[in-house]
Amino acid sequence: MNDPKRSEEFVRKVISRLYERPEMYGQTLGEVDLALYLLHLVWAVICDRRDEYEKARGAYNFFELESNEGPVPRGHHINPVSSRSSEGVEEIIAYWSTLDQKIHLDWQEFA
């Protein structure tokens, strides 16, 4: 798989599959999050867009959650190592799919 276009397409397919069945890629929320982080990083490197990816990820690393104390940093409202809830998985997928929109990573053609 020396062709960057084929490699990039393969990574987008895996991201699409992970979004469909996250339990196949991690037993905990932390594992699912890490798998998505690594896949997105590989995609950014293949596409020579790592700086854009890191900038978008950094800008979006804190997002608004309703709490008594205002905005909560991503991941601090759950125990990502031991937790496994459908709500937590949905939050992680929502985070990464929103980031996908910001960096124009189109995985939905494989969904």
Side-chain angles (χ1 to χ4, degrees):
M1 211 184 275
N2 293 330
D3 179 13
K5 176 103 173 116
R6 288 182 60 210
S7 298
E8 184 266 346
E9 185 176 287
F10 174 77
V11 172
R12 288 188 298 128
K13 283 180 185 177
V14 174
I15 289 171
S16 175
R17 290 180 186 138
L18 194 153
Y19 285 153
E20 288 174 17
R21 299 192 60 196
E23 67 278 358
M24 302 261 315
Y25 295 85
Q27 296 299 309
T28 67
L29 298 178
E31 290 173 358
V32 172
D33 190 47
L34 178 61
L36 284 165
Y37 166 76
L38 293 172
L39 286 165
H40 281 78
L41 180 60
V42 168
W43 173 86
V45 169
I46 290 169
C47 295
D48 196 27
R49 295 175 60 189
R50 185 169 183 182
D51 289 342
E52 177 187 349
Y53 162 72
E54 293 291 352
K55 185 182 287 185
R57 198 171 78 76
Y60 186 58
N61 207 27
F62 289 83
F63 66 94
E64 298 282 332
L65 291 175
E66 292 300 319
S67 80
N68 295 335
E69 297 154 13
V72 178
R74 178 179 159 271
H76 284 58
H77 58 286
I78 57 170
N79 179 350
V81 175
S82 62
S83 294
R84 180 67 184 185
S85 70
S86 59
E87 181 181 296
V89 170
E90 288 172 11
E91 251 177 59
I92 288 170
I93 290 174
Y95 168 83
W96 286 104
S97 60
T98 300
L99 186 69
D100 292 343
Q101 293 171 0
K102 294 180 182 298
I103 61 175
H104 307 288
L105 190 164
D106 181 20
W107 52 268
Q108 293 178 332
E109 68 181 272
F110 304 109

